[in-house]
Amino acid sequence: MKEKIVIIGSGFAGMWSALSAARLIHLHNRDDIDVIVLAPKPELCVRPRLYEENARQMVSPLLPLYHSVGVQFFQGTAEQIDSAQKRVVYRDCEGKAGQLNYDRLVIASGSRVKQDLVPGIKEHTFNLDQLESAAVLERHLQDLPSQPDSAARNRVVVCGGGFTGIEMAMELPTRLKAALGCEVEVIVIDRGASIGSSYSAEMQAVIKEASEELGVKWLLNASIERIEPEGVLLKDGTFIESKTVIWTVGVEASPLTAHIEAPRDDKGRLKVDENLRVIGQRDIYATGDVAHALTDDKNNLALMTCQHAIPLGKFAGHNVAADLLGVAPLAYRQENYVTCLDLGAWGAVYTEGWEQKVNCVRQEAKKIKIAITNELIYPPKADRDVVLSIADPLAPFV
């Protein structure tokens, strides 16, 4: 009877886990191990691009890719992990319950934006968390010209000045001015004391320059009391009217991590060893946004981004297959770290290293950003030899 590797999730980490596991199994000429992906849809949502226009197009089909290397796909949403019985309970697209037994499990179920931080988030904000929610925001922006001209219509509030918040805010002035035919106001509300406070001083200066040139305003040292139908109420009593409030604050790991008896961090990520095996679990690995993993020997942690999800996926897939094959695993290491932040019509900023030293800006950086998000992070073509080559955890990435 064949052994089964079940991978929950078909995002960057889940997809690459499957391809990497298939690669190692192929290299050992084994046909007694099945690699199975369980996910709601057989497609990759390119989440790093959801702030752009045409959000619905930010997907890539995966069935041809999986078929090229013999990976099986089950369409369904995982609802429960029973580690004692080594099975995953899921619900298919028709609402019927099913289960998958596994010999080894890889949890790659991703993350989600937190919507319980202040009252009114679920009811009165938009977000870029998933393809569907990004499409809802896009339809709303497209409908704004049909609404009566007002300050609230022409003002967008972005809650949070992190990576997603900045890219969304910088994208909006040009897009909305073209749609509305008038000047628009984009305000970023952030608790930090400076623009882009989570980044290096050098990078902050670039973000500030771009913000000023594009007319994006920052409201700093600000805390939100609640979101109302007409806008945002701050804790100091200030009320900002807006028809468009976008929430980008707070990300947490998939709730499936709570089904595993293991230590987790404050984001709900499962703590793993250097081979990405969940601490205290013999048969379960975690990768991507659900893994609390060290990238190097300097105590740098993998971030919840595709830059880390892709290599994490490759290492997890390799190691889970190696476990069944009885061969040595590869310790996850990712020494290089870069940041490429889109700054709308101004351009972009590209930095290298954890100290975020600015390497280039404006259109030079924009070219790098486009190369990363439009080419580098997309799945390879459905050619077995190409896939097996790129799925090697030791193959160059960034």
Side-chain angles (χ1 to χ4, degrees), residues 252-318:
E252 61 185 356
S254 160
L256 281 176
T257 61
H259 296 204
I260 307 301
E261 291 187 15
R264 297 185 294 158
D265 65 14
D266 59 358
K267 296 182 186 296
R269 296 182 296 181
L270 294 161
K271 294 188 176 182
V272 297
D273 64 18
E274 64 179 7
N275 299 322
L276 306 182
R277 193 197 308 264
V278 175
I279 301 297
Q281 293 290 336
R282 173 66 185 87
D283 305 315
I284 302 175
Y285 293 71
T287 191
D289 287 0
V290 300
H292 175 103
L294 290 171
T295 66
D296 51 32
D297 297 326
K298 301 175 184 177
N299 291 321
N300 289 312
L301 280 174
L303 302 179
M304 298 166 90
T305 66
C306 71
Q307 177 180 176
H308 286 117
I310 293 172
L312 277 167
K314 292 181 182 182
F315 277 92
H318 178 97

Side-chain angles (χ1 to χ4, degrees), residues 110-229:
S111 59
R112 64 183 185 181
V113 67
K114 297 186 73 172
Q115 294 189 302
D116 58 357
L117 296 177
V118 299
I121 297 174
K122 288 183 179 180
E123 298 84 357
H124 307 306
T125 71
F126 301 91
N127 67 68
L128 302 169
D129 191 45
Q130 302 294 332
L131 183 66
E132 293 76 11
S133 60
V136 170
L137 170 59
E138 185 163 25
R139 286 196 299 271
H140 169 78
L141 295 176
Q142 292 169 346
D143 290 342
L144 284 178
S146 65
Q147 298 184 21
D149 188 5
S150 68
R153 185 200 71 168
N154 300 336
R155 179 183 297 124
V156 176
V157 176
V158 177
C159 302
F163 202 96
T164 301
I166 292 172
E167 292 200 319
M168 184 76 258
M170 298 301 180
E171 169 85 1
L172 287 170
T174 302
R175 189 195 299 190
L176 291 180
K177 187 174 182 180
L180 296 172
C182 64
E183 293 298 324
V184 296
E185 186 177 22
V186 178
I187 300 173
V188 179
I189 299 176
D190 193 65
R191 291 190 299 178
S194 59
I195 292 175
S197 59
S198 60
Y199 300 108
S200 68
E202 190 178 10
M203 192 172 172
Q204 286 181 47
V206 175
I207 299 168
K208 183 174 185 293
E209 180 183 342
S211 298
E212 291 173 350
E213 189 168 310
L214 293 173
V216 173
K217 301 176 182 178
W218 285 70
L219 193 56
L220 300 170
N221 296 306
S223 296
I224 297 171
E225 178 71 23
R226 64 177 177 269
I227 312 296
E228 299 184 354

